[in-house]
Amino acid sequence: MSLIFCSRTDDPDEWRGAFAAIMPDLEFRVWPDVGDEGAVEIALVWDPMQEQLLRFANLRLIASLGAGVDHLLAATTLPPGVPMTRIVDANLTQGMREYVLLQTLYCHRQAPAYLAQQRAADWRPLDQPFCQQRRVGIMGLGVLGAAAAEALQDIGFLVTGWSRRQKELPGVECFAGLSRLDEFLAASEILVCLLPLTPDTEGIINRRTLGALPPGACLINGARGGLVVEADLIAALESGRLGHAVLDVTREEPLPADDALWRAPNITITPHIASITNARSGAELVADNIRRVRAGEALLHTVDPDAGY
Ligand code: NDP
Ligand code: OXD
């Protein structure tokens, strides 16, 4: 059995080393050096080129290198009937928990305003609400959104959440579906976006939805750039309707040096580092699914290509 690794952004040597330690019988090949195409049964991929996977007639598993699969679904014609899995990993979840806590506290404790005051040598305390009075809304209550909700609640924030299907999370007021979206947004002074990018969520943060937030609200996008209509975001920041935006992801990555987002007021940009798949723990998860494929058992963390996540 061989595995083909296809990614323009992940380091194949890290993954090769991780698999060598736990599954030494697996032949690890890196695109375009595919070797015997008929022997390839596993594709470990981030963004394969169009139709690349169709050439492997004996493919039994397509494993995403990340939690998100939008790259994969958008870039590739999938061989019909081959199951797809994604990364659900405690390290990845912990990274996102930390990022959301960091950026929520950064907004809540008015760090951007104090940084501006520091630059102006302006020593002036600002009014500070308690976190028990601060309403944080999380869009997407999946693996990462639910973990972020729990962490925010633990330190006292008032947390609400929004998802496609109704969720029950202890202490979190949960809203579901488009019909409840505006109600959810109206209660989100800090909006944390952890939705997958799908045809239904593309551009969901736009002029209309930004306008449904409380005036001066903050946005934290730790999911995908395609969720945001960037021109609408810039307009909302310029008008002051939105108080601050933290973006870990943008439509084009890396964000070009001349992109208007860099120069928007009240914005914090990080280069898609909110949480990064660790090759060692990621390889263990994929290896577990490879063993399941071999044993004909049910796979873990499968993707529904029709839903897009
Ligand atoms: P999950 O699939 O576990 O959760 C997705 C959540 O979004 C679910 O609650 C789902 O609802 C909800 N959702 C999906 N579509 C809609 C919709 N149309 N309307 C309302 N809710 C919707 O994903 P994860 O939590 O594991 O990851 C979320 C995203 O985070 C990934 O897709 C990826 O893009 C991004 N990510 C970013 C990283 C970074 O470093 N910046 C790192 C890792 C991931 P329901 O529960 O009803 O299914
Ligand atoms: C992911 C990511 O989806 O890193 O895992 O963005």
Coordinates of all heavy atoms in Angstrom, one line a residue, residues 2 8 11-12 23 49 59 68 72 88 112 121 125 128 164 177 199 208-209 215 241 266 289:
S2 N 0.6 2.2 -0.9 CA 1.3 3.5 -0.8 C 0.4 4.7 -0.6 O -0.8 4.6 -0.9 CB 2.3 3.6 -1.9 OG 1.6 4.0 -3.1
R8 N 1.1 22.1 -1.5 CA 2.1 23.1 -1.8 C 2.5 23.9 -0.6 O 3.4 24.7 -0.7 CB 1.5 24.1 -2.9 CG 1.4 23.5 -4.2 CD 0.6 24.3 -5.2 NE -0.8 24.1 -5.0 CZ -1.8 24.5 -5.7 NH1 -1.5 25.3 -6.8 NH2 -3.1 24.3 -5.5
D11 N 5.2 20.6 4.8 CA 6.5 20.0 4.6 C 6.4 18.5 4.5 O 6.1 17.8 5.5 CB 7.4 20.5 5.7 CG 8.8 19.9 5.6 OD1 9.1 19.1 4.7 OD2 9.6 20.1 6.5
P12 N 6.6 17.9 3.3 CA 6.5 16.4 3.2 C 7.4 15.7 4.1 O 7.1 14.6 4.6 CB 6.8 16.1 1.7 CG 7.4 17.3 1.2 CD 7.0 18.5 2.1
M23 N 4.2 3.8 11.1 CA 3.6 2.9 10.1 C 4.7 2.6 9.0 O 4.6 3.0 7.9 CB 2.4 3.5 9.4 CG 1.4 2.6 8.9 SD -0.2 3.4 8.5 CE -1.3 2.5 9.5
M49 N -4.2 19.5 -7.4 CA -4.6 20.1 -8.6 C -5.8 19.4 -9.1 O -6.0 18.2 -8.9 CB -3.6 20.1 -9.7 CG -2.2 20.5 -9.3 SD -2.1 22.2 -9.0 CE -0.4 22.4 -9.0
L59 N -7.7 4.1 -5.1 CA -7.7 4.9 -3.9 C -8.8 4.5 -2.9 O -10.0 4.2 -3.4 CB -8.0 6.4 -4.4 CG -7.5 7.5 -3.5 CD1 -6.0 7.4 -3.3 CD2 -7.8 8.8 -4.2
G68 N -10.1 22.0 7.8 CA -11.0 22.5 6.7 C -10.8 21.7 5.5 O -9.7 21.2 5.2
L72 N -9.7 21.5 -0.7 CA -9.7 20.2 -1.4 C -11.0 20.1 -2.3 O -10.9 19.7 -3.5 CB -9.8 19.2 -0.2 CG -9.7 17.7 -0.5 CD1 -8.6 17.4 -1.4 CD2 -9.5 17.0 0.9
V88 N -9.1 16.1 13.1 CA -9.7 16.6 14.4 C -8.7 16.1 15.5 O -8.6 14.9 15.7 CB -11.1 15.9 14.6 CG1 -11.6 16.2 16.0 CG2 -12.1 16.3 13.5
P112 N -6.3 47.3 21.4 CA -6.0 48.2 20.3 C -6.0 49.7 20.7 O -5.2 50.4 20.3 CB -7.1 47.8 19.3 CG -7.5 46.4 19.7 CD -7.4 46.4 21.2
A121 N 1.5 58.8 23.4 CA 1.9 59.1 24.8 C 0.8 59.6 25.6 O 0.8 60.6 26.3 CB 3.1 60.1 24.8
P125 N -6.9 55.9 31.5 CA -7.7 54.6 31.6 C -9.1 54.8 30.9 O -9.7 55.9 30.9 CB -8.0 54.5 33.1 CG -7.0 55.5 33.8 CD -6.7 56.6 32.7
Q128 N -14.1 50.0 31.6 CA -13.9 48.6 31.2 C -15.0 47.7 31.8 O -15.1 47.6 33.0 CB -12.5 48.1 31.8 CG -12.2 46.6 31.6 CD -12.1 46.3 30.1 OE1 -11.4 46.9 29.4 NE2 -12.9 45.3 29.7
R164 N -25.7 25.2 12.1 CA -26.7 24.9 11.1 C -27.9 24.1 11.8 O -29.0 24.5 11.6 CB -26.0 24.0 10.0 CG -26.8 23.8 8.7 CD -25.8 23.4 7.6 NE -25.3 22.1 7.9 CZ -25.7 21.0 7.4 NH1 -26.7 21.0 6.6 NH2 -25.1 19.8 7.6
G177 N -29.6 28.0 12.3 CA -30.2 28.3 11.0 C -30.3 29.8 10.7 O -30.2 30.7 11.6
P199 N -20.5 26.6 0.1 CA -21.4 27.5 -0.7 C -22.4 28.3 0.1 O -22.7 29.4 -0.2 CB -22.1 26.5 -1.7 CG -21.1 25.3 -1.8 CD -20.5 25.2 -0.4
R208 N -24.6 43.5 5.3 CA -25.9 43.3 6.0 C -25.6 42.7 7.4 O -26.1 43.2 8.4 CB -26.8 42.4 5.2 CG -28.3 42.5 5.6 CD -29.1 41.3 5.1 NE -28.8 40.1 5.8 CZ -29.1 39.8 7.0 NH1 -29.8 40.7 7.8 NH2 -28.7 38.7 7.6
T209 N -24.8 41.6 7.4 CA -24.6 40.9 8.7 C -23.8 41.8 9.6 O -24.0 41.8 10.8 CB -24.0 39.5 8.5 OG1 -22.9 39.6 7.6 CG2 -25.1 38.6 7.9
P215 N -23.4 48.2 17.5 CA -22.4 49.2 17.0 C -21.1 49.1 17.8 O -21.1 48.9 19.0 CB -23.1 50.6 17.3 CG -24.6 50.2 17.4 CD -24.7 48.8 17.9
R241 N -18.5 51.6 12.3 CA -19.6 50.7 12.7 C -19.1 49.5 13.4 O -19.7 48.9 14.3 CB -20.4 50.4 11.4 CG -21.6 49.5 11.5 CD -22.7 50.3 12.3 NE -23.9 49.5 12.6 CZ -23.9 48.5 13.4 NH1 -22.9 48.1 14.1 NH2 -25.1 47.9 13.6
N266 N -8.1 50.0 12.5 CA -8.6 49.1 13.6 C -8.6 47.6 13.1 O -9.6 46.9 13.2 CB -10.0 49.5 14.1 CG -9.9 50.9 14.7 OD1 -9.0 51.2 15.4 ND2 -10.8 51.8 14.3
N289 N -6.9 5.9 10.8 CA -7.9 5.7 9.7 C -7.4 4.7 8.6 O -8.2 4.0 8.1 CB -8.3 7.0 9.1 CG -9.6 7.6 9.8 OD1 -10.4 6.9 10.3 ND2 -9.7 8.9 9.8

